[in-house]
Amino acid sequence: MKTKLNILLVALTLIISSCGGGENKKIDAKKIESLIEKQDLGGLKSAKETITSEYSELRNQIDKINLALAKLDTVTKAFDVTAIAIKDTLFTHYVEFQGNVKTKQNVVILSEYNGTLSNVYVKKGQRVAKGQLLAKINDGGLSQQVAQLQAQADLANTTFERQKKLWEQKIGSEIQFLQAKTTAKSAQNALNQLKSQLAKTTVRAPFSGTIDDIITDQGSVVANGTSLFRIVNLNNMYVEAEVPEKYITSVKKGTTAEVYLPMLGETIQSKVRQVSSFINPNNRSFTVEIAIPNKNGLIKPNLTTKVSINDYNDENAILVPQSVVSENAEEEEYVYIAVIENGKTRAKRVIVETSKSQNGLIEVTNGISTGDKLIVEGARSVKDGQLINIK
């Protein structure tokens, strides 16, 4: 083999000598400098043509020699790589969105009556039950009016009952019976209306929760619509997130979701409990709600969250490291696998089709299959058909 290589090297030397060895043809650096100093345009063009011709011929001869060397040199060193056997696995893909913690029981209680806030029965931070009395507004004599109307309604009702018995016994006229009935009904309606107004002078908790803020102090004059208290229930918390409309077929009620609370460093496993039926025309998105438990009471309304919703699953997915997938000039994606040809292990470029990616892995849907040996380390350096050595 050494003899053949020596013959090729001698041949290369002869070729170089024949192309540039003659004194008349040889163009050295000094001659070129002389032509430049003389500003000899014709001489420079002629020198360029000569050098270009010599260079082209030399390159052709070197290519032939390299080809011959590649065939004769059987001790070419293999390129070291690492490879993994491809297996199918479960692939669960999540999409991430920003979310906001909310509660449907976060209410500012307003006054429904004009008067003086005569009594406040609760303190800030106090737990209260649904229907519990929170405050009293001076009714300005309304309770006495209710008592008078109650007496009038009782009398009218008694009169009606007696007139009804007489009418059933065919005693008295029908007009007397109808007048008594109408009077009793009118008195009761007036009483009910006044009682409804009186009920507005007492402020009660609409649901069980915590008094988060006392907005108006005892003794203040309030009007209809004045803010009195803020009451919050932190037991029924949820996260609201806006999801782009392209996920409308994959994000549904009952879809698995993860809620990460950065401020608490906590991740909660949950499900989508509600999906809105309305697409926001401003950002082309729809709203989802995800229930979250609040066992320790640390989750507060308006906390920001990161929501991950499961939008895709494949039980037999082929996942490869995203770093081994390259792209050619035709925008085709490819990977390298190790194959054995004529007893030697070589790298083979394979065009693949990919789908979704997550955590540094990407799903390959076409091009490779289970059992193939995927080149991982060295995937960016190896060439198609190159001799490789799997470490």
Side-chain angles (χ1 to χ4, degrees), residues 48-77:
K48 180 181 178 181
E49 291 177 0
T50 302
I51 293 173
T52 302
S53 176
E54 291 176 356
Y55 176 78
S56 177
E57 187 175 351
L58 286 173
R59 287 300 307 168
N60 290 335
Q61 297 301 326
I62 290 173
D63 289 341
K64 291 179 180 179
I65 293 172
N66 287 335
L67 183 61
L69 286 173
K71 292 180 179 180
L72 295 173
D73 190 0
T74 58
V75 293
T76 303
K77 184 179 178 181

Side-chain angles (χ1 to χ4, degrees), residues 87-347:
K87 299 179 181 179
D88 55 15
T89 184
L90 172 64
F91 180 39
T92 304
H93 186 265
Y94 287 82
V95 286
E96 294 184 353
F97 310 100
Q98 287 294 117
N100 194 33
V101 176
K102 293 188 176 183
T103 174
K104 294 186 183 295
Q105 295 183 325
N106 179 12
V107 174
V108 173
I109 301 175
L110 306 178
S111 169
E112 296 183 276
Y113 195 79
N114 300 327
T116 302
L117 189 64
S118 56
N119 296 95
V120 174
Y121 301 108
V122 293
K123 297 180 180 179
K124 188 175 180 180
Q126 180 179 336
R127 292 279 302 171
V128 295
K130 181 179 180 179
Q132 182 175 333
L133 182 63
L134 306 180
K136 182 74 171 64
I137 300 174
N138 191 298
D139 60 25
L142 194 60
S143 55
Q144 287 80 6
Q145 295 179 41
V146 170
Q148 291 176 3
L149 274 181
Q150 182 68 61
Q152 294 175 11
D154 291 343
L155 177 60
N157 190 57
T158 300
T159 302
F160 168 66
E161 291 296 331
R162 290 181 179 181
Q163 192 66 43
K164 181 180 179 182
K165 291 180 180 179
L166 291 173
W167 175 247
E168 289 174 351
Q169 296 174 11
K170 306 299 182 182
I171 300 174
S173 64
E174 182 180 6
I175 191 65
Q176 290 176 320
F177 167 73
L178 294 175
Q179 285 177 343
K181 182 179 179 181
T182 302
T183 301
K185 187 174 182 181
S186 298
Q188 188 62 47
N189 288 340
L191 177 62
N192 291 341
Q193 185 176 5
L194 205 59
K195 281 184 175 180
S196 176
Q197 290 295 316
L198 183 61
K200 294 178 180 180
T201 65
T202 57
V203 182
R204 298 183 180 275
F207 51 81
S208 297
T210 302
I211 301 300
D212 187 62
D213 191 14
I214 297 177
I215 302 172
T216 303
D217 296 326
Q218 180 175 308
S220 302
V221 176
V222 298
N224 187 7
T226 301
S227 298
L228 303 178
F229 307 96
R230 176 182 291 279
I231 181 172
V232 179
N233 186 345
L234 299 182
N235 294 327
N236 185 21
M237 308 293 287
Y238 68 96
V239 171
E240 184 177 88
E242 291 188 343
V243 180
E245 63 180 350
K246 67 179 181 179
Y247 297 106
I248 197 168
T249 58
S250 55
V251 177
K252 302 176 182 178
K253 182 179 179 180
T255 301
T256 302
E258 293 181 354
V259 178
Y260 175 61
L261 302 162
M263 298 305 298
L264 303 180
E266 181 181 358
T267 300
I268 299 173
Q269 304 293 329
S270 187
K271 292 182 181 292
V272 176
R273 76 176 185 186
Q274 183 177 334
V275 178
S276 69
S277 302
F278 173 75
I279 300 294
N280 188 334
N282 295 323
N283 57 9
R284 308 307 305 172
S285 67
F286 59 95
T287 304
V288 299
E289 288 184 9
I290 303 166
I292 52 174
N294 192 16
K295 298 178 182 179
N296 53 17
L298 294 178
I299 301 177
K300 309 293 184 184
N302 300 317
L303 269 178
T304 57
T305 66
K306 183 171 71 174
V307 179
S308 300
I309 302 178
N310 174 218
D311 70 322
Y312 174 77
N313 296 291
D314 189 346
E315 294 182 356
N316 301 300
I318 294 178
L319 300 178
V320 303
Q322 199 165 2
S323 59
V324 306
V325 180
S326 302
E327 190 175 282
N328 60 23
E330 287 74 30
E331 297 185 352
E332 296 175 318
E333 293 180 309
Y334 64 88
V335 297
Y336 285 101
I337 61 173
V339 296
I340 298 176
E341 296 179 353
N342 300 322
K344 296 181 180 180
T345 306
R346 296 186 180 276

